[in-house]
Amino acid sequence: MSEVRTAPRGFEGLIKRERYPHTWCPGCGIGLIFNNIIRVLSEKGLDYSNTAAISGIGCSGRMAGYMNMDSVHTPHGRALPVAEAIKLVNPDLNVIVASGDGDLASIGGNHLLHTSRRNPDITVFCVNNETYGLTGGQLAPTTPKGVRTITSLNGALHNPLSMQKIVTGNAQYFYARSTVYHLDHMRECMHAALEWPGFAFVEVISDCIELHGRRLGFKTPHEMIATYGEKYVLAPAGRTELAPNELGIMTKA
Amino acid sequence: MQRLVQGNEATFQGAVRAGASFYSGYPISPSSEIMAEAAKYSASHPEFRFIQTEDEIAAAMSVLGASLAGAKAFTATSGPGFSLMQESLGMGYMSEIPCVFVDVQRVGPSTGMPTLIAQGDLLQVQHGSHGDYYSIAFYPNSVAECYTLVGTAFNVAEEARQPVILLSDAHVGHLYELVDLEALATGVEVLPRALAPLGGHTRHFTGLISDDNGVPRTSDYQVYRRWLAKVKERSAAVAAKHPLYEYRPNPRSATLLISFGIISRTVLPLTEQYGYFRPIRMLPVLAEELREVAKDYRNLVVVEANDGQYASLVEQALKRDVARVPVLGGKVSPAEIADRLAEVIGQA
Ligand SMILES: Cc1ncc(C[n+]2csc(CCOP(=O)(O)OP(=O)(O)O)c2C)c(N)n1
C-alpha cells in the first residue's frame, strides 16, 4: 500500500493553526490581509524569535492572536502606546501592529497623532473596511460621506477622516495605501513599510461583506472587492499626496 | 547622609531602587514631581526609559507594554488621570501584568481642587475598572515610607502578577523630611521579574478571558471561574505577606482613631487621648488585624479626607458601626478634627 502524504498548508511556523477556524467571515478581506502579512513576514525572516505583534479590538484586531509569536491584544484603540513602549524597552525586537480603522483612527486617533509624531520604528497594518465590523456595521470616521450604515440611515453626514493626512502631517513619515484587490501592490507596500526605519503605516482598503457590504447592495464579496479594482489607480510618480482614489507609498525621511 | 527629600522624589527614588527601569506619564498636580524626577534620571541613565505621553490613557498603556517587554514599569498621576487609567488597570488585572500605579490624591470628582489634599480615590482603587478584580494598595505617611513602600509595591506586583497601587496625597507627595535614602536603600529586597520578556515565545496577552495558553475562551464560564478563583487566591496570599499597619494602643481610652496618609500625621497629637491605628496596606482591608485591635475599643472612628470611604470598608469587614470624621475640601485643621471627634464620640 502506498504511503499517504499530507501536503503542508504553508507558513507553519507563523500561524497558530491550532486556533483555527478563525473568527473572520468567509469573503472578509481581513483574511487576504492576514495571509499577505504572514507571507511578507516569512519572506523577511520575521518570526517569533525576533518579532512581536500587537492588535487592538475589532475583527481586524484579532490578527495578532493568530500569529505564532508573542502577541498583545490591547483594549480598543490602545495598540499604539503598547507597541511604542515595547519598542522603547526592547529596540532589538521587531514590533508590528495589525488592527482596524476604527481602532487605530477613531478611539485610538489621539495615539495615532502622537505615536506617528514620535516616530518609533514600528510598522502598522491598518485594515480600512470603512465601518465597525465587529459591532455590526456602524458608521466609522472612515465611512465615506453619504454611505449608509446602521447608524447613518440617510448616509454619513460628514467627510471621512484621512489617515494619510494624519500620518503625513509629521516631519518624517511612511504612509502607504493599497487594497485587497491589488495583492502584489499590497505586499510591496508591506515590504517597504517593514524596511522603513521609523513609524510606517500601511492602510489597506478592505471589504466587510456581511455587516456592511450586503447592506450596500453587494451580493458577493467578489463583487465588492472588484469595485476596488475599478475605483483605485496607482498614483503617478512624483506625487506628494495620494488622491482619495490613488494607491501608492508616500515617504519623507 | 540625611538630606531634605520630598515625598514625590522619594517615591521615584524608591522605585528605581526597586528595579524600575520605565516610567511614562502625563503631567498633573500634585504628582508632577515624580515625572520630573523620572525625566531627570533618564537623561543621565539611558537604560532607564522615559516617555511623556499624550494623555494618561497612553501613559498607563505604555506601562503595560513596557512591563511585557521586560521592564519594571510604573506611572504616577492624580484623580483625573487615575480615572483615565482605569481601562489599563483592567487589562493589567485580566492579562496578569505586574506594574505599579501611583495615585497622589487631590480633591475630586472631576478637576476638583487640583492642589488640595484628599483621600477620595480609595474606592476607585478598589473598584474603578469594570468587572471583578482584587486590588492591592499601600499608603505611606512619610517621605521615608514613600521610598520603602513603592519597593514593596513593585515586589508585590511581581509576586501577585497584577497592578499594585501606591496611594499618596497632595501633602505626603509634597512633604519634605530629613531622610537618609542610602541607609533606607540597604534594607530593600528586590524580586526578579515574574514574566519572561516579549520575544522568543508564542504567548498571547489579551484583555479577553483566555486559557493558560492565552487562547481566548469568551463563552466558557468554567474557564472564567477558574481564572477568577486563581487570581483571587494568589492576590490574597501575596497581600497576606504584607499586613502592614501601625498601632498605638491607649488602654485608657474607649476610642480607636483610624487614619492613614497625611491625615494620620495630623491626628498623632490625639494619641494621648485615644488609641490609634494606621493601615498602611489599604487594600485588601486589614480585616483580621483590625478586628483584633478593635476588640479593645467601644468606639471606632475613621478620620479620613473623604466622606467615609474607608469607614465603610471597616464597617463591612468588622460588621460594627464605625463613626466618621470626614476632612473635606482640602482643609486640614487639627482643631476642627478634635472638635468633630469629641462630637461624634459624645453621640456614640
Ligand atoms: C472601549 C470600547 N468601546 C467599544 C467597544 C466595542 N467595539 C469592539 S470592536 C469595535 C469597532 C472595531 O472597528 P474596527 O477597528 O474598524 O475593526 P473591524 O471590526 O471593522 O475590523 C467596537 C466599537 C470596545 N470593545 N471597547
Short mmCIF file of all heavy atoms in Angstrom, two decimals, chain B residues 283-308:
data_model
loop_
_atom_site.label_atom_id
_atom_site.label_comp_id
_atom_site.label_asym_id
_atom_site.label_seq_id
_atom_site.Cartn_x
_atom_site.Cartn_y
_atom_site.Cartn_z
N LEU B 283 -5.60 48.14 50.88
CA LEU B 283 -6.40 47.11 50.23
C LEU B 283 -5.51 45.90 49.95
O LEU B 283 -4.36 46.11 49.55
CB LEU B 283 -6.99 47.62 48.91
CG LEU B 283 -8.04 48.73 49.04
CD1 LEU B 283 -8.34 49.32 47.66
CD2 LEU B 283 -9.32 48.19 49.67
N PRO B 284 -6.00 44.70 50.14
CA PRO B 284 -7.29 44.41 50.77
C PRO B 284 -7.29 44.89 52.23
O PRO B 284 -6.24 44.95 52.85
CB PRO B 284 -7.38 42.88 50.68
CG PRO B 284 -5.98 42.41 50.51
CD PRO B 284 -5.25 43.48 49.78
N VAL B 285 -8.48 45.21 52.72
CA VAL B 285 -8.62 45.75 54.06
C VAL B 285 -8.03 44.78 55.09
O VAL B 285 -8.18 43.56 54.97
CB VAL B 285 -10.12 46.00 54.36
CG1 VAL B 285 -10.32 46.36 55.83
CG2 VAL B 285 -10.64 47.12 53.48
N LEU B 286 -7.34 45.33 56.08
CA LEU B 286 -6.69 44.51 57.11
C LEU B 286 -7.75 44.01 58.09
O LEU B 286 -7.78 44.41 59.27
CB LEU B 286 -5.66 45.38 57.86
CG LEU B 286 -4.46 45.85 57.03
CD1 LEU B 286 -3.83 47.10 57.64
CD2 LEU B 286 -3.44 44.72 56.91
N ALA B 287 -8.60 43.14 57.63
CA ALA B 287 -9.78 42.77 58.42
C ALA B 287 -9.39 42.10 59.74
O ALA B 287 -9.86 42.51 60.81
CB ALA B 287 -10.68 41.86 57.60
N GLU B 288 -8.51 41.10 59.68
CA GLU B 288 -8.17 40.37 60.91
C GLU B 288 -7.45 41.27 61.90
O GLU B 288 -7.74 41.25 63.10
CB GLU B 288 -7.23 39.20 60.59
CG GLU B 288 -7.96 37.96 60.14
CD GLU B 288 -6.98 36.97 59.54
OE1 GLU B 288 -5.92 36.74 60.15
OE2 GLU B 288 -7.28 36.44 58.45
N GLU B 289 -6.50 42.03 61.37
CA GLU B 289 -5.71 42.90 62.23
C GLU B 289 -6.61 43.93 62.90
O GLU B 289 -6.50 44.18 64.11
CB GLU B 289 -4.62 43.59 61.41
CG GLU B 289 -3.56 42.65 60.84
CD GLU B 289 -3.99 41.86 59.61
OE1 GLU B 289 -5.11 42.10 59.10
OE2 GLU B 289 -3.22 40.99 59.15
N LEU B 290 -7.50 44.50 62.11
CA LEU B 290 -8.43 45.49 62.66
C LEU B 290 -9.35 44.88 63.70
O LEU B 290 -9.61 45.46 64.76
CB LEU B 290 -9.27 46.09 61.53
CG LEU B 290 -8.71 47.36 60.89
CD1 LEU B 290 -9.45 47.66 59.59
CD2 LEU B 290 -8.84 48.55 61.85
N ARG B 291 -9.81 43.69 63.41
CA ARG B 291 -10.75 43.02 64.33
C ARG B 291 -10.08 42.79 65.68
O ARG B 291 -10.65 43.05 66.74
CB ARG B 291 -11.22 41.69 63.72
CG ARG B 291 -12.45 41.12 64.39
CD ARG B 291 -12.99 39.92 63.64
NE ARG B 291 -13.36 40.23 62.26
CZ ARG B 291 -12.87 39.61 61.19
NH1 ARG B 291 -11.98 38.64 61.32
NH2 ARG B 291 -13.27 39.95 59.98
N GLU B 292 -8.84 42.33 65.63
CA GLU B 292 -8.08 42.06 66.84
C GLU B 292 -7.90 43.34 67.66
O GLU B 292 -8.18 43.37 68.87
CB GLU B 292 -6.71 41.50 66.38
CG GLU B 292 -5.89 40.84 67.46
CD GLU B 292 -6.67 39.81 68.26
OE1 GLU B 292 -7.48 39.07 67.68
OE2 GLU B 292 -6.47 39.77 69.50
N VAL B 293 -7.48 44.40 66.98
CA VAL B 293 -7.22 45.66 67.67
C VAL B 293 -8.54 46.27 68.18
O VAL B 293 -8.63 46.76 69.30
CB VAL B 293 -6.50 46.64 66.72
CG1 VAL B 293 -6.52 48.06 67.27
CG2 VAL B 293 -5.07 46.16 66.47
N ALA B 294 -9.56 46.20 67.35
CA ALA B 294 -10.81 46.91 67.65
C ALA B 294 -11.54 46.31 68.84
O ALA B 294 -12.39 46.98 69.47
CB ALA B 294 -11.71 46.88 66.41
N LYS B 295 -11.21 45.05 69.19
CA LYS B 295 -11.86 44.39 70.33
C LYS B 295 -11.78 45.23 71.60
O LYS B 295 -12.66 45.19 72.45
CB LYS B 295 -11.15 43.05 70.60
CG LYS B 295 -11.61 41.93 69.73
CD LYS B 295 -11.22 40.57 70.29
CE LYS B 295 -9.81 40.53 70.83
NZ LYS B 295 -9.04 39.32 70.49
N ASP B 296 -10.68 45.97 71.73
CA ASP B 296 -10.42 46.70 72.97
C ASP B 296 -11.08 48.08 73.01
O ASP B 296 -10.84 48.84 73.94
CB ASP B 296 -8.90 46.86 73.17
CG ASP B 296 -8.23 45.51 73.30
OD1 ASP B 296 -8.91 44.56 73.76
OD2 ASP B 296 -7.05 45.39 72.94
N TYR B 297 -11.84 48.43 72.01
CA TYR B 297 -12.41 49.79 71.97
C TYR B 297 -13.92 49.74 71.72
O TYR B 297 -14.40 48.94 70.91
CB TYR B 297 -11.73 50.60 70.87
CG TYR B 297 -10.24 50.74 71.09
CD1 TYR B 297 -9.35 49.79 70.58
CD2 TYR B 297 -9.73 51.79 71.86
CE1 TYR B 297 -7.99 49.89 70.81
CE2 TYR B 297 -8.36 51.90 72.09
CZ TYR B 297 -7.50 50.94 71.56
OH TYR B 297 -6.16 51.06 71.78
N ARG B 298 -14.59 50.63 72.40
CA ARG B 298 -16.04 50.71 72.22
C ARG B 298 -16.37 51.50 70.96
O ARG B 298 -17.30 51.20 70.22
CB ARG B 298 -16.68 51.37 73.44
CG ARG B 298 -18.19 51.11 73.55
CD ARG B 298 -18.78 51.67 74.83
NE ARG B 298 -18.61 53.11 74.93
CZ ARG B 298 -18.01 53.75 75.93
NH1 ARG B 298 -17.53 53.06 76.96
NH2 ARG B 298 -17.89 55.05 75.94
N ASN B 299 -15.57 52.55 70.74
CA ASN B 299 -15.83 53.42 69.58
C ASN B 299 -14.72 53.29 68.55
O ASN B 299 -13.54 53.33 68.89
CB ASN B 299 -15.88 54.89 69.99
CG ASN B 299 -16.77 55.12 71.18
OD1 ASN B 299 -17.91 54.62 71.22
ND2 ASN B 299 -16.27 55.86 72.16
N LEU B 300 -15.14 53.14 67.31
CA LEU B 300 -14.18 53.19 66.20
C LEU B 300 -14.50 54.44 65.39
O LEU B 300 -15.65 54.66 65.01
CB LEU B 300 -14.32 51.96 65.30
CG LEU B 300 -14.21 50.59 65.98
CD1 LEU B 300 -14.39 49.48 64.95
CD2 LEU B 300 -12.86 50.46 66.67
N VAL B 301 -13.48 55.25 65.15
CA VAL B 301 -13.70 56.48 64.37
C VAL B 301 -12.66 56.55 63.27
O VAL B 301 -11.45 56.50 63.55
CB VAL B 301 -13.56 57.75 65.24
CG1 VAL B 301 -13.97 58.98 64.42
CG2 VAL B 301 -14.39 57.64 66.51
N VAL B 302 -13.13 56.64 62.03
CA VAL B 302 -12.17 56.82 60.93
C VAL B 302 -12.11 58.30 60.59
O VAL B 302 -13.14 58.93 60.30
CB VAL B 302 -12.56 56.00 59.69
CG1 VAL B 302 -11.56 56.25 58.56
CG2 VAL B 302 -12.61 54.51 60.02
N VAL B 303 -10.91 58.84 60.67
CA VAL B 303 -10.68 60.23 60.28
C VAL B 303 -9.99 60.17 58.92
O VAL B 303 -8.85 59.69 58.82
CB VAL B 303 -9.77 60.96 61.30
CG1 VAL B 303 -9.69 62.44 60.95
CG2 VAL B 303 -10.28 60.76 62.71
N GLU B 304 -10.68 60.61 57.89
CA GLU B 304 -10.12 60.48 56.53
C GLU B 304 -10.59 61.64 55.66
O GLU B 304 -11.65 62.22 55.91
CB GLU B 304 -10.53 59.13 55.91
CG GLU B 304 -12.05 58.90 55.84
CD GLU B 304 -12.42 57.50 55.33
OE1 GLU B 304 -11.70 56.97 54.47
OE2 GLU B 304 -13.46 56.97 55.78
N ALA B 305 -9.79 61.94 54.64
CA ALA B 305 -10.10 63.09 53.78
C ALA B 305 -11.01 62.68 52.64
O ALA B 305 -10.69 62.82 51.45
CB ALA B 305 -8.80 63.72 53.28
N ASN B 306 -12.15 62.14 53.02
CA ASN B 306 -13.24 61.83 52.07
C ASN B 306 -14.46 61.58 52.93
O ASN B 306 -14.36 61.59 54.17
CB ASN B 306 -12.88 60.61 51.22
CG ASN B 306 -12.76 59.34 52.04
OD1 ASN B 306 -13.73 58.93 52.70
ND2 ASN B 306 -11.61 58.72 52.05
N ASP B 307 -15.60 61.32 52.30
CA ASP B 307 -16.82 61.22 53.09
C ASP B 307 -17.10 59.79 53.56
O ASP B 307 -18.21 59.28 53.35
CB ASP B 307 -18.00 61.77 52.28
CG ASP B 307 -19.21 62.08 53.19
OD1 ASP B 307 -19.02 62.09 54.43
OD2 ASP B 307 -20.32 62.28 52.66
N GLY B 308 -16.09 59.16 54.15
CA GLY B 308 -16.36 57.88 54.82
C GLY B 308 -16.07 56.63 54.01
O GLY B 308 -16.66 55.57 54.25
#
